[in-house]
Amino acid sequence: MSNRFFEYLLRLGDDRLVLGHRLSEWCGHGPILEEDIAMANIALDLIGQANLLLLKAASVENAGRDADALAYLRDAREYRNALIAELPRGDFAFTIARQFLFSAWALRQWEALASCRDADLAGIAARAVKESRYHVRHSAEWLVRLGDGTEESHARAQDALDELWRYTGELFLTDAIERELAHEGLAADPSAFRSAWQKDVDDVVARATLRLPAVEHWQQGGRTGLHTEHLGRMLAEMQVLPRTYPGARW
Amino acid sequence: MTGNRKGGDTAHQLWEVFTQPGDGKPFEHAGSLHAADGELALQNARDVYARRSEAVAIWVVPSKAIVSSTPEDVGPFFDPANDKPYRHPQFYRVPQGFRM
């Protein structure tokens, strides 16, 4: 059980760590001061969730690695995040559209995990539900304003959805690991909340006067370590300090 | 907002933010910020002025909706009160424990 649970905790933690880092890249570059702070807040929420999840993963693995070792000393092939999290931050519309698609999914996932049989994971979920609810509200309201805004903001928001939609299928993929853990009450089965998520997305996309594109080929691979070219470069920047100065403190 | 899809003025208007530090406490002016509309002003206020648990409730008000006294008003508005001590409740005993 423990190997499978470790693997699952890595998936949960890596989604948040990688997306949190992508979002943190906006710090100092936000379109307005207020939004700069808002994005940094959400990034910190996600990195905080990742910290708790990787701490838990490290204790489940029980192999002498701590959360920092998991975050800073794994290569891209060992990362288990969904591909949607690692895509470059793009323009503001792309960042908002991704945040909305991910957060709406993450909120449903956390709600399911709040009744997880593992007390630690259930506790992390109970706290994260509140944070995610705000992430959904913030990104949804922005997506509506961009989609139903000016010609340019509408076009950019639609481009973002057209690019991102093919990455959402991976969020609902399950393998034997997740199915068995879900059966044991330790994981959230995403098929149980797929239609609710789809309705959340449809409602906001309609309010935003946008449309979801047809998809011929769904992108996937992150859960087994097959990532886009972008993750390696992101990790190089994220990990440079602990890898250059092992054990550095301040 | 529907039907508003064109270029033009995208400048954000100014909002004043009032936060309530606890249940039953009066709202206090926390500062101002820019936002496109009320919902985003509320979210920005939460992020800028209440992200460290400073508030249990928030008001946002368009700055242009505030009617303010001016420095020229100081004389007629506030000075005459100086020589009317009878307006201060100091000629009877105040119940014990009451603080003005």
Side-chain angles (χ1 to χ4, degrees):
Chain A
M1 185 281 280
S2 67
N3 276 347
R4 283 183 281 130
F5 196 39
F6 171 70
E7 180 74 18
Y8 183 61
L9 290 164
L10 280 189
R11 294 176 185 183
L12 294 175
D14 288 351
D15 282 346
R16 276 90 190 159
L17 180 61
V18 171
L19 184 55
H21 187 85
R22 279 295 185 216
L23 206 49
S24 78
E25 292 173 355
W26 277 98
C27 192
H29 302 279
I32 54 170
L33 173 71
E34 291 82 351
E35 189 55 29
D36 201 272
I37 296 173
M39 286 193 285
N41 278 343
I42 295 175
L44 284 172
D45 284 348
L46 291 174
I47 292 167
Q49 293 175 5
N51 185 40
L52 294 171
L53 289 163
L54 294 182
L55 275 170
K56 173 70 179 173
S59 95
V60 168
E61 186 191 35
N62 196 20
R65 289 201 283 186
D66 61 8
D68 281 347
L70 291 175
Y72 295 117
L73 301 178
R74 277 182 301 147
D75 292 325
R77 280 301 299 263
E78 299 167 272
Y79 263 74
R80 293 291 178 263
N81 59 283
L83 300 179
I84 193 171
E86 72 200 40
L87 300 175
R89 71 175 202 246
D91 61 11
F92 183 60
F94 187 89
T95 286
I96 287 295
R98 164 171 52 192
Q99 197 61 46
F100 170 66
L101 294 170
F102 177 85
S103 293
W105 171 80
L107 174 58
R108 298 283 176 182
Q109 185 183 51
W110 282 130
E111 284 173 344
L113 284 173
S115 54
C116 170
R117 212 164 50 77
D118 181 272
D120 290 339
L121 185 51
I124 296 170
R127 187 185 116 159
V129 160
K130 292 181 196 169
E131 295 173 342
S132 295
R133 215 163 260 151
Y134 184 73
H135 303 169
V136 173
R137 176 170 166 178
H138 188 73
S139 53
E141 292 302 324
W142 258 119
L143 190 59
V144 168
R145 282 155 181 78
L146 293 173
D148 193 16
T150 64
E151 293 283 3
E152 181 176 0
S153 70
H154 177 84
R156 286 181 182 236
Q158 186 61 57
D159 286 348
L161 275 186
D162 290 347
E163 173 65 22
L164 282 160
W165 189 244
R166 74 190 71 164
Y167 290 92
T168 56
E170 188 181 25
L171 299 172
F172 295 95
L173 283 182
T174 54
D175 56 8
I177 292 175
E178 286 196 28
R179 282 193 294 274
E180 286 165 32
L181 285 172
H183 187 67
E184 295 163 33
L186 287 169
D189 177 3
S191 63
F193 54 81
R194 183 164 198 167
S195 61
W197 173 84
Q198 183 70 51
K199 186 177 179 314
D200 296 340
V201 171
D202 287 342
D203 287 350
V204 171
V205 166
R207 277 176 63 208
T209 71
L210 298 166
R211 53 169 183 74
L212 296 176
V215 171
E216 286 174 12
H217 179 68
W218 296 91
Q219 297 291 328
Q220 55 175 287
R223 300 301 187 205
T224 52
L226 300 175
H227 291 280
T228 67
E229 62 188 310
H230 308 296
L231 182 65
R233 281 187 222 138
M234 194 203 94
L235 291 181
E237 182 174 331
M238 191 182 95
Q239 298 178 333
V240 63
L241 200 131
R243 283 190 188 268
T244 311
Y245 303 98
R249 302 199 164 274
W250 76 74
Chain B
M1 279 183 299
T2 307
N4 194 28
R5 191 176 303 152
K6 54 183 188 297
D9 185 16
T10 51
H12 291 170
Q13 65 168 318
L14 194 61
W15 300 75
E16 299 301 322
V17 178
F18 299 84
T19 54
Q20 189 184 29
D23 286 332
K25 298 267 174 59
F27 282 72
E28 295 166 359
H29 187 230
S32 57
L33 50 75
H34 290 90
D37 55 40
E39 166 66 19
L40 289 181
L42 205 53
Q43 292 189 14
N44 289 345
R46 178 265 191 192
D47 285 321
V48 177
Y49 294 110
R51 69 181 181 281
R52 301 189 185 94
S53 311
E54 296 97 331
V56 297
I58 302 173
W59 289 344
V60 290
V61 182
S63 301
K64 66 183 179 197
I66 289 184
V67 182
S68 168
S69 65
T70 64
E72 293 75 50
D73 292 331
V74 166
F77 266 45
F78 309 117
D79 273 358
N82 288 345
D83 59 356
K84 297 181 179 64
Y86 49 85
R87 285 183 178 163
H88 295 273
Q90 56 190 333
F91 300 106
Y92 49 84
R93 289 172 58 86
V94 173
Q96 223 172 6
F98 180 82
R99 296 206 322 215
M100 285 193 290

